[in-house]
Amino acid sequence: MNKNIILGWFGTFLQLFLRLSWGVISVPIAILLHLNTVEIGFVATSFYVGYVISSIPWGLVIDKIGPNKTITISALILVPLNLLLFFSLSSYVLLVIVYLIDGVVAAAIFPSAMKIVAISHSSESKFTFYIALVESAAPITILVLSLIATILLHLWKFIYLLMAIGFLLLGIFSSKINSNATSTEIKRSLRIIFDKRIALSTLIRLGELWATWGTTTWIFPMLVLYRDISPSLSALFLLLFGLGQLVGIINVDKLVQLVGIVKVILLNLIGFIIISLVLTISNGLLILSEAFLLGIFSFLYRPPTDSLIMKIAGNSSAATSIGYANAVSQIGTMIAPTVIGLVLYLTKSFTFSMITLDIGCVISIISLLVLESWL
């Protein structure tokens, strides 16, 4: 594994840890600041608002100046933002503003990581494998969070200090290596945005992210607050959920070679719907086996979808295509936390919340079937 792949993985891990840790530390912060479920969800949404509005501009910048320089700039800006929350988290307004700016800045990192993969491996048969390798940062992030979830309920503030240190190391690391990226004119990159196949692939991704990150953001507090599952058992659920994601992502390249990209995506979307509905009627330790399956079905579709998007776009516009895909598809991530929070506020129902998450999968399935007829 070359240094650039390690860089892309580490950057992806850090930006995911920054946003996904909210799903755990939101519990003690909500108590501290007296937040309701809608306000809790809006903090996550504010991050994704920033992420969405800056993803396309960042994609164009990455294709123009290269992923390494872009990661360095982004990482060094994120250092003082996280230090601010570590030293002074005294108001809800400050919390929302910082998470909004975090989203704007962090949006540069994942397209940069995908650009690195495209530069290094787009011509290889195992292209999807390398995408999955970088995206394995997501389940590993969830695994780490699950292992330290109960600790974070008491030492949550130190997350922001660790984030500041991590982004500082990322910025230094990125400035020392070169991905050998060639500059692509902005006008050329912009053309990819108007490709109807990219647009439809992005809609598939939107539904996937609605389900994946809506679940990841809310599943721990939902189990604790609305299913009366103990924090320790909920943390174990999160651990098995992340482990399932990791197992699925490790095997995704073999599945793609066996049955093809479209079928892999379709089967996992259907699997997510089935397991999420079963989870609403399960009790006790039975939910742990479902946590593992839900993890598999909640993420295995991501690398094939991103691979499909970049193959349609081509190597020179890889960052722009992923930046555009992030901008549109993150609408699902942006809206889902607040929508789930609103559903919980109005219904107090775990079941209705899971059904709401499944809406994303339905959108993805319909879009996928249409795209298949265009390929």
Side-chain angles (χ1 to χ4, degrees), residues 219 222-223 226-227 273 275-283 340 343-344 347-359:
I219 195 64
M222 278 201 302
L223 289 172
Y226 294 93
R227 288 294 305 274
I273 293 173
I275 297 300
S276 65
L277 294 178
V278 171
L279 184 62
T280 65
I281 58 175
S282 298
N283 291 302
I340 298 303
V343 170
L344 286 168
T347 69
K348 306 295 188 296
S349 171
F350 181 86
T351 300
F352 280 123
S353 299
M354 296 306 291
I355 292 173
T356 304
L357 287 169
D358 289 336
I359 292 172

Side-chain angles (χ1 to χ4, degrees), residues 55-102:
S55 286
I56 292 177
W58 274 125
L60 295 169
V61 169
I62 295 161
D63 283 331
K64 182 66 177 178
I65 72 173
N68 295 85
K69 290 181 180 178
T70 308
I71 289 175
T72 299
I73 294 168
S74 175
L76 295 181
I77 295 173
L78 287 165
V79 173
L81 288 171
N82 282 277
L83 286 176
L84 177 61
L85 291 181
F86 173 69
F87 286 112
S88 179
L89 178 51
S90 56
S91 76
Y92 179 66
V93 173
L94 174 66
L95 184 67
V96 170
I97 290 173
V98 172
Y99 267 81
L100 174 66
I101 301 172
D102 277 343

Side-chain angles (χ1 to χ4, degrees), residues 73-282:
I73 294 168
S74 175
L76 295 181
I77 295 173
L78 287 165
V79 173
L81 288 171
N82 282 277
L83 286 176
L84 177 61
L85 291 181
F86 173 69
F87 286 112
S88 179
L89 178 51
S90 56
S91 76
Y92 179 66
V93 173
L94 174 66
L95 184 67
V96 170
I97 290 173
V98 172
Y99 267 81
L100 174 66
I101 301 172
D102 277 343
V104 170
V105 179
I109 296 177
F110 180 69
S112 295
M114 289 296 98
K115 177 73 172 184
I116 288 170
V117 176
I119 292 169
S120 306
H121 304 289
S122 62
S123 61
E124 300 179 18
S125 60
K126 295 181 73 63
F127 182 44
T128 301
F129 167 77
Y130 287 107
I131 292 174
L133 195 62
V134 172
E135 293 190 351
S136 69
I140 290 175
T141 302
I142 295 171
L143 286 172
V144 172
L145 281 171
S146 68
L147 290 172
I148 63 175
T150 53
I151 298 173
L152 290 182
L153 293 177
H154 304 285
L155 300 175
W156 57 268
K157 185 173 285 191
F158 287 94
I159 278 291
Y160 298 117
L161 179 61
L162 290 174
M163 286 288 93
I165 295 171
F167 282 118
L168 178 61
L169 293 174
L170 177 67
I172 295 171
F173 183 28
S174 182
S175 67
K176 299 296 183 182
I177 61 178
N178 182 22
S179 62
N180 297 316
T182 57
S183 178
T184 302
E185 289 298 322
I186 290 178
K187 288 184 178 179
R188 180 180 176 185
S189 294
L190 276 172
R191 293 193 195 108
I192 203 65
I193 295 174
F194 300 100
D195 188 316
K196 65 179 183 179
R197 296 170 302 166
I198 293 290
L200 199 54
S201 300
T202 297
L203 192 58
I204 296 169
R205 201 173 188 272
L206 184 154
E208 293 173 351
L209 294 190
W210 175 287
T212 298
W213 299 127
T215 304
T216 305
T217 300
W218 269 110
I219 195 64
F220 181 83
M222 278 201 302
L223 289 172
V224 173
L225 300 175
Y226 294 93
R227 288 294 305 274
D228 296 321
I229 305 295
S230 69
S232 58
L233 188 59
S234 297
L236 183 55
F237 182 100
L238 198 61
L239 172 67
L240 292 172
F241 178 74
L243 184 61
Q245 288 189 337
L246 184 59
V247 169
I249 211 168
I250 288 173
N251 293 286
V252 66
D253 186 58
K254 295 178 181 178
L255 289 173
V256 167
Q257 292 183 29
L258 185 64
V259 302
I261 286 180
V262 172
K263 287 184 180 179
V264 168
I265 297 171
L266 180 62
L267 290 173
N268 280 274
L269 289 168
I270 294 172
F272 181 92
I273 293 173
I274 293 172
I275 297 300
S276 65
L277 294 178
V278 171
L279 184 62
T280 65
I281 58 175
S282 298

